[in-house]
Amino acid sequence: MTHESSSNKACVLMKAMTIEIKDVPIPPVNKDDVKVKLEATGICGTDMHIYRHFGVGREIMTDPVVLGHESVGTVVQVGENVKDVSVGDRVAIEPFFSCRKCFNCKRGKTNLCKTFRQAGFMEVQGTLSQYYVCESDFLVKVPDSVSWEEGGCIQPLAVAIQIAKRAKFGAGQTLAVFGCGPLGCLIMAVARAYGVSKILAFDISQKRVDFAKSLWADYAALSPVRPGDQDILEWADAFKMQSMADAGLESWGVDIAVEASGAEACMAAGMSFVHPGGTYVQAGLGRPLNTFPTSMIVVKELDVIGSVRYTVGCFQTAIELIASGKINLKPMITAVFPLSKSVEALECVMQERT
């Protein structure tokens, strides 16, 4: 079955901070491909970084690219070999395209594929457009009970679920989350759904602290300002002792700490908060190089874990958690814009982050 599209308006990043809404070509639908009419696309920190810097870290783009990678929509055309989805299906797009053949892919670590490509970055066009074509392997069905707007949050929720898998979230645990932005809040939402008994949350924004407290955190507070002449580890230990007392927990520490801000001070705090034998997860990016308390890893015998993107099953789990009502994403949806107002949407997110 073919589907003729008269236009494909897209949000094209021409250079840093410069967007054009214009028609872009729709790739042909090959035998294993699916064409999706996109209904909603979320905007995240990665999009904002690419928008502001025309790249990520040392990888700077040289050509314009369609932004976006957190999208849901309706299947309008399928290739002749496609059997797992049909025209009319509601689907979410897994936007990190793995080869499924390399060493890491074969052992389930598709997030670390040797040749992975990311929608909306470098030469791979993104999903902030009217239509998108990809292989059917990278689509996951979405039930009618999940709204399009909620669907735009599936991808970041899958990232939080991968963090939970890596850290082994479970019933009865205690958790400290540093950073109450979208990722930090989704980590807390997953922790609550997985039965974590006590969640502590910290941020430098009172608005974000209040938001986390209203939905998921048992205890939430502003991170204390560190005097310039105070040793960072002394500051981290004092921060921990006061917070644990205020939260009604033993000073020994929490089972798991997740650093989701990328701030160096929060890395030190997270390592301090975890009790001996506990788990520390680095999820925030921040600067490429940071001072890190390595002696604490040894003395406390900590499991220090990194987590990036998502793996097989994370999207399906995310969808099931939303559909079952175990996670409510509606409070995370701050505004809705049409595609034609993409610049305004990006500027709105930028203002929220400042």
Side-chain angles (χ1 to χ4, degrees):
M1 176 181 178
T2 60
H3 176 269
E4 298 300 326
S5 309
S6 58
S7 70
N8 184 34
K9 298 292 185 186
C11 172
V12 182
L13 182 65
M14 306 302 295
K15 60 182 180 179
M17 305 287 286
T18 302
I19 293 290
E20 290 186 14
I21 306 299
K22 61 181 185 178
D23 268 309
V24 299
I26 303 174
V29 178
N30 296 319
K31 61 183 181 179
D32 296 317
D33 292 341
V34 172
K35 182 196 287 188
V36 179
K37 180 180 182 295
L38 298 168
E39 303 289 352
T41 298
I43 296 175
C44 75
T46 301
D47 296 309
M48 297 309 301
H49 199 92
I50 295 171
Y51 172 58
R52 295 176 64 184
H53 304 287
F54 207 53
V56 176
R58 291 180 294 178
E59 295 186 271
I60 303 300
M61 299 185 295
T62 57
D63 298 310
V65 69
V66 177
L67 283 177
H69 61 275
E70 302 177 0
S71 295
V72 285
T74 305
V75 173
V76 294
Q77 183 179 344
V78 298
E80 59 184 277
N81 287 354
V82 175
K83 307 298 181 186
D84 48 348
V85 294
S86 304
V87 171
D89 283 347
R90 304 170 87 247
V91 294
I93 299 172
E94 294 191 354
F96 301 111
F97 306 125
S98 57
C99 72
R100 289 98 79 200
K101 297 177 181 178
C102 71
F103 174 77
N104 276 337
C105 283
K106 286 182 176 180
R107 63 189 187 128
K109 291 185 174 290
T110 52
N111 58 330
L112 301 176
C113 172
K114 293 170 74 174
T115 59
F116 94 93
R117 298 172 301 125
Q118 175 182 328
F121 185 57
M122 302 306 281
E123 77 284 356
V124 185
Q125 298 305 309
T127 60
L128 195 47
S129 57
Q130 291 177 291
Y131 295 95
Y132 199 75
V133 174
C134 66
E135 292 181 69
S136 65
D137 280 4
F138 299 107
L139 300 179
V140 183
K141 292 181 183 179
V142 178
D144 292 340
S145 59
V146 177
S147 70
W148 290 128
E149 291 78 12
E150 290 172 300
C153 302
I154 290 170
Q155 189 271 339
L157 180 57
V159 172
I161 289 167
Q162 174 66 12
I163 291 167
K165 286 171 66 174
R166 293 278 289 147
K168 299 185 172 112
F169 283 7
Q173 294 172 328
T174 52
L175 168 71
V177 177
F178 296 86
C180 299
L183 178 58
C185 285
L186 290 171
I187 291 166
M188 288 182 253
V190 173
R192 186 61 74 206
Y194 283 20
V196 170
S197 64
K198 195 88 168 182
I199 301 172
L200 285 63
F202 305 96
D203 202 284
I204 58 173
S205 163
Q206 187 64 58
K207 179 180 178 182
R208 288 187 169 189
V209 166
D210 293 341
F211 183 75
K213 174 66 175 175
S214 69
L215 292 167
W216 303 290
D218 300 289
Y219 172 82
L222 290 170
S223 299
V225 176
R226 179 172 69 93
D229 59 349
Q230 186 179 16
D231 177 79
I232 191 169
L233 294 183
E234 290 181 1
W235 168 84
D237 286 341
F239 179 10
K240 169 199 173 182
M241 296 300 289
Q242 186 63 57
S243 299
M244 298 298 284
D246 291 345
L249 294 174
E250 292 184 30
S251 60
W252 193 49
V254 296
D255 298 313
I256 303 168
V258 179
E259 201 296 303
S261 73
E264 185 177 79
C266 289
M267 298 174 193
M271 297 287 283
S272 178
F273 268 68
V274 177
H275 64 62
T279 300
Y280 172 92
V281 183
Q282 186 62 45
L285 288 174
R287 298 179 303 179
L289 187 64
N290 295 278
T291 301
F292 203 69
T294 53
S295 62
M296 204 180 296
I297 300 172
V298 178
V299 173
K300 295 171 72 173
E301 199 176 59
L302 301 179
D303 289 331
V304 178
I305 294 171
S307 185
V308 65
R309 295 183 281 274
Y310 53 81
T311 52
V312 175
C314 289
F315 258 66
Q316 189 61 53
T317 300
I319 292 167
E320 289 171 358
L321 288 171
I322 300 167
S324 67
K326 291 179 180 177
I327 288 182
N328 178 16
L329 291 180
K330 291 177 182 176
M332 299 284 292
I333 303 166
T334 54
V336 178
F337 295 84
L339 176 62
S340 60
K341 299 291 185 182
S342 295
V343 173
E344 289 85 344
L346 290 161
E347 292 298 324
C348 178
V349 176
M350 189 176 294
Q351 291 174 14
E352 285 286 326
R353 291 167 63 87
T354 57

